[in-house]
Amino acid sequence: MSLVSEDFLRAEREMAIPPVSERGRRNENPEGIGFWALVAEDFRTHESRIFEQGFWAVFSNRFGNWRMGQPKIIRAPCTVLYMILFKAVEILGGISLWYTVKLGRRVRIWHHSGIVLSARAIGDDVHIRQNTTMGIRRRDRTADLPIVRAGVDIGAGACIVGAVVIGEGARIGANSVIFNDVPNGGSAIGNPALITPPRVDAGG
């Protein structure tokens, strides 16, 4: 049984993240926007560049979720197409982003290669750079995956592992290794990361 913080449980509720046992069973694309409008927004987020590997990875995630909302007769061939897309992005772009990751809007994946994004959820307006890893910390706790709230900026080579939550607007330094929660507006730098709260303006 995993032990998680109150902040982690709060993030699960507020971001409407499905329980681990129900991951991948339904369409978790953002509500209030159609599939193609969402794809168009992702395309603009990636500077309208069709050859941006980050856009390919996000599209694969969106398509994988969209198919889960279709009748079985349509879902079956779409599942085959999704598997081909996912593997093509892994081979050509070096990015692994499974459809089981609940992905927010306007998520930007910069550059390519060495990017493994196994998270419970990634919020709106998150920036992710090359060689970022999100995943488990221990092989016997495969359900312990991080949650990244909205507006987080993640430097190249960052490693975020275990059932931790990265607070809204936090900044993760390049090559940092994160084992613990990062508060909203906080920052994390180093290996293991030194976590600091948001700066308070003395004149405020």
Side-chain angles (χ1 to χ4, degrees), residues 17 20-21 27 30 56 60 71 80 85 101 104 124 174 179:
I17 302 170
V20 171
S21 60
N27 181 1
W56 301 350
S60 174
V80 175
L85 281 172
V101 178
D124 296 341
F179 296 133

Side-chain angles (χ1 to χ4, degrees), residues 104-174:
R105 294 176 62 174
R106 299 174 300 276
V107 173
R108 175 71 153 105
I109 301 175
W110 293 85
H111 313 298
H112 56 87
S113 301
I115 301 175
V116 180
L117 305 175
S118 182
R120 292 283 303 283
I122 299 172
D124 296 341
D125 302 303
V126 171
H127 287 248
I128 301 166
R129 293 176 178 79
Q130 68 271 23
N131 294 317
T132 292
T133 297
M134 300 180 192
I136 61 172
R137 184 177 179 184
R138 292 173 43 165
R139 287 185 296 171
D140 60 341
R141 292 187 176 179
T142 57
D144 286 0
L145 297 169
I147 296 174
V148 179
R149 281 186 175 270
V152 174
D153 196 316
I154 302 172
C159 185
I160 304 170
V161 292
V164 300
V165 59
I166 309 301
E168 188 169 328
R171 300 176 68 85
I172 308 299

Side-chain angles (χ1 to χ4, degrees), residues 3-146:
L3 298 175
V4 299
S5 66
E6 284 297 322
D7 286 343
F8 188 92
L9 296 174
R10 188 178 304 111
E12 279 187 323
R13 292 193 301 271
E14 293 178 357
M15 296 174 71
I17 302 170
V20 171
S21 60
E22 297 180 15
R23 293 179 77 213
R25 293 188 179 181
R26 62 176 183 264
N27 181 1
E28 292 290 345
N29 280 333
E31 296 180 352
I33 184 170
F35 175 72
W36 288 112
L38 186 59
V39 171
E41 183 178 70
D42 292 331
F43 185 58
R44 291 192 299 273
T45 299
H46 288 82
E47 302 177 10
S48 301
R49 296 177 178 174
I50 194 65
F51 293 112
E52 281 280 310
Q53 293 92 336
F55 171 68
W56 301 350
V58 172
F59 177 81
S60 174
N61 175 285
R62 304 297 193 203
F63 181 77
N65 275 281
W66 172 84
R67 77 194 159 91
M68 298 307 294
Q70 306 308 308
K72 286 185 178 179
I73 193 170
I74 296 175
R75 190 188 313 163
C78 286
T79 296
V80 175
L81 180 56
Y82 164 73
M83 294 171 68
I84 293 170
L85 281 172
F86 177 83
K87 188 52 68 177
V89 174
E90 275 197 326
I91 294 171
L92 299 175
I95 303 172
S96 300
L97 174 59
W98 293 263
Y99 83 97
T100 50
V101 178
K102 183 180 174 73
L103 197 65
R105 294 176 62 174
R106 299 174 300 276
V107 173
R108 175 71 153 105
I109 301 175
W110 293 85
H111 313 298
H112 56 87
S113 301
I115 301 175
V116 180
L117 305 175
S118 182
R120 292 283 303 283
I122 299 172
D124 296 341
D125 302 303
V126 171
H127 287 248
I128 301 166
R129 293 176 178 79
Q130 68 271 23
N131 294 317
T132 292
T133 297
M134 300 180 192
I136 61 172
R137 184 177 179 184
R138 292 173 43 165
R139 287 185 296 171
D140 60 341
R141 292 187 176 179
T142 57
D144 286 0
L145 297 169

